[in-house]
Structures are given as structure tokens and as C-alpha cells.
């Protein structure tokens, strides 16, 4: 009985010593929190929401305003340090706004995913949708990037990062693109169930 109790206590100590799940949000201004205080940016708001639900997590903000998929690839190694348990990948909006060939964005995103998988770091892919003014052909090619990559690599997918924000004036800044603080709250409320699914795949019960 003493031995069993000691073993149980030992297991609990090991579990406690593991610490929180460490995530990195790798993205552009939508992640960085353009024109928002640090505590109102997506990673900080998501971390608070998860902790309120009893999740032990730390989310690093690796968002860089203006970044493209190739920019994210270029800085991948120092943006995602060793010891990272998972990455929320939110890139592609700037590629789309610049009219970059969707094949370029797809290749960069896939390379990021593959390099992270090689390091044993799972990815939650946050999707983006092309603006209507780019034409039907561009939209079809761009919008297909995220579900196809998720299917090919077995990723958890959140189809549209700005769901509930785009087209809602109260949730976007004057530019019509970036979320306000209220908009970030909307993003987090939408993506939260998907992030919890992702966390359960990483470390069940954490």
C-alpha cells in the first residue's frame, strides 16, 4: 500500500513538473495584435480563455505585422524554439492581399508544416479566405490551400481565422481588415473549441 501510494505521488509529481503546454502562435499582424495593447492580442486573449477553462497553457506571440508565408518560413527556427509543444499557424493574409500566386503561399506553408513535423511539433492550421475582388479563379486556388494541406498532413484545421470579424464593422478597425479588441474576442470565441481539440491531441487532460 505504501509502495503504491509512493508511486502514485511520484507520478503526480512528474505530471506537475511537466509544466504548462507551450504553444507558439506564428502569424502576421492578425496574431501580433496590430494597434492593440499586448494583452489584447490574439495569443494573450486565447491564453486567458483557455486558462479560464482549466487549461494549463502558455502561448508565445510570434506574430509579425506585414509578414507573408515566406517571411514566416524564413524566421521559423528562431520564432519556434525547442520545447514548443504545438504551433498555431496563421499566415497567408498578406500573400492574398498582395495577389501573390497561391502556389507560392502553399509551398511556404507546407514547408513550415513539414519542418515542424520533423521537429515533432504538431500544427493547428488557421485558414484564410481570399477577398472577392481577386476573382473567382484566384479565390478558388487560394481558398483550397488550407483544407488541402490539413488533409494531406493530418492537421487540425480552423477554416477561417477571421470568422465573425470580416464584414462586421464593430469587430474591425477603420481599415476594414484588422480586428479591434472586440474582434479579437470574437476570433478567440470562434477558434477556442478547435484549439481545445488540438490540445487534447497534444497532451490529453492538460
Amino acid at each position: 500500500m505504501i509502495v503504491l501510494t509512493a508511486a502514485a505521488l511520484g507520478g503526480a509529481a512528474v505530471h506537475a513538473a511537466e509544466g504548462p503546454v507551450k504553444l507558439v502562435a506564428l502569424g502576421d499582424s492578425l496574431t501580433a495584435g496590430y494597434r492593440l495593447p499586448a494583452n489584447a492580442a490574439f495569443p494573450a486573449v486565447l491564453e486567458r480563455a483557455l486558462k479560464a477553462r482549466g487549461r494549463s497553457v502558455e502561448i508565445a506571440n510570434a506574430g509579425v505585422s506585414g509578414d507573408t508565408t515566406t517571411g514566416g518560413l524564413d524566421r521559423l527556427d528562431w520564432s519556434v524554439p525547442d520545447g514548443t509543444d504545438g504551433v498555431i499557424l496563421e499566415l497567408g493574409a498578406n500573400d492574398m492581399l498582395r495577389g501573390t500566386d497561391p502556389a507560392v503561399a502553399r509551398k511556404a506553408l507546407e514547408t513550415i508544416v513539414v519542418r515542424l513535423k520533423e521537429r515533432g511539433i504538431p500544427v493547428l492550421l488557421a485558414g484564410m479566405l481570399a477577398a472577392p475582388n481577386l476573382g473567382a479563379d484566384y479565390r478558388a486556388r487560394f481558398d483550397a490551400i488550407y483544407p488541402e494541406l490539413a488533409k494531406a498532413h493530418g492537421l487540425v484545421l480552423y477554416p477561417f481565422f477571421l470568422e465573425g470579424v470580416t464584414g462586421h464593422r464593430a469587430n474591425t478597425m477603420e481599415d476594414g481588415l484588422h480586428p479591434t479588441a472586440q474582434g479579437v474576442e470574437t476570433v478567440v470565441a470562434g477558434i477556442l473549441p478547435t484549439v481545445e481539440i488540438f490540445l487534447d491531441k497534444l497532451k490529453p487532460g492538460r
Side-chain angles (χ1 to χ4, degrees), residues 6-28:
L9 289 173
V14 169
H15 182 75
E18 287 179 351
V21 176
K22 294 184 178 181
L23 302 180
V24 171
L26 179 67
D28 47 39

Side-chain angles (χ1 to χ4, degrees), residues 24-190:
V24 171
L26 179 67
D28 47 39
S29 57
L30 301 177
T31 290
Y34 176 74
R35 290 176 52 193
L36 294 173
N39 65 359
F42 167 71
V45 177
L46 178 60
E47 182 178 306
R48 288 197 299 273
L50 288 167
K51 285 180 175 178
R53 294 177 67 84
R55 301 281 187 168
S56 178
V57 296
E58 290 180 359
I59 306 179
N61 189 339
V64 173
S65 292
D67 218 355
T68 61
T69 54
T70 52
L73 174 59
D74 288 343
R75 63 183 175 89
L76 179 62
D77 291 339
W78 59 264
S79 292
V80 182
D82 291 341
T84 297
D85 295 310
V87 167
I88 300 173
L89 178 57
E90 175 278 304
L91 283 168
N94 288 310
D95 298 71
M96 179 268 295
L97 291 172
R98 297 176 186 184
T100 301
D101 185 342
V104 173
R106 178 192 293 269
K107 182 178 180 181
L109 285 171
E110 186 160 37
T111 303
I112 290 172
V113 169
V114 169
R115 283 175 52 177
L116 288 172
K117 288 178 87 173
E118 288 171 349
R119 294 172 59 190
I121 302 174
V123 174
L124 187 164
L125 187 60
M128 185 53 56
L129 298 176
N133 65 326
L134 291 168
D137 178 66
Y138 187 95
R139 290 179 67 187
R141 293 172 61 216
F142 184 88
D143 293 357
I145 292 172
Y146 301 89
E148 289 179 1
L149 285 181
K151 183 177 180 179
H153 295 279
L155 309 178
V156 174
L157 172 69
Y158 184 63
F160 183 37
F161 186 74
L162 292 177
E163 184 67 45
V165 174
T166 299
H168 297 264
R169 292 185 63 184
N171 286 338
T172 56
M173 296 182 180
E174 309 81 56
D175 60 14
L177 300 171
H178 295 95
T180 57
Q182 178 178 311
V184 173
E185 296 282 353
T186 299
V187 170
V188 168

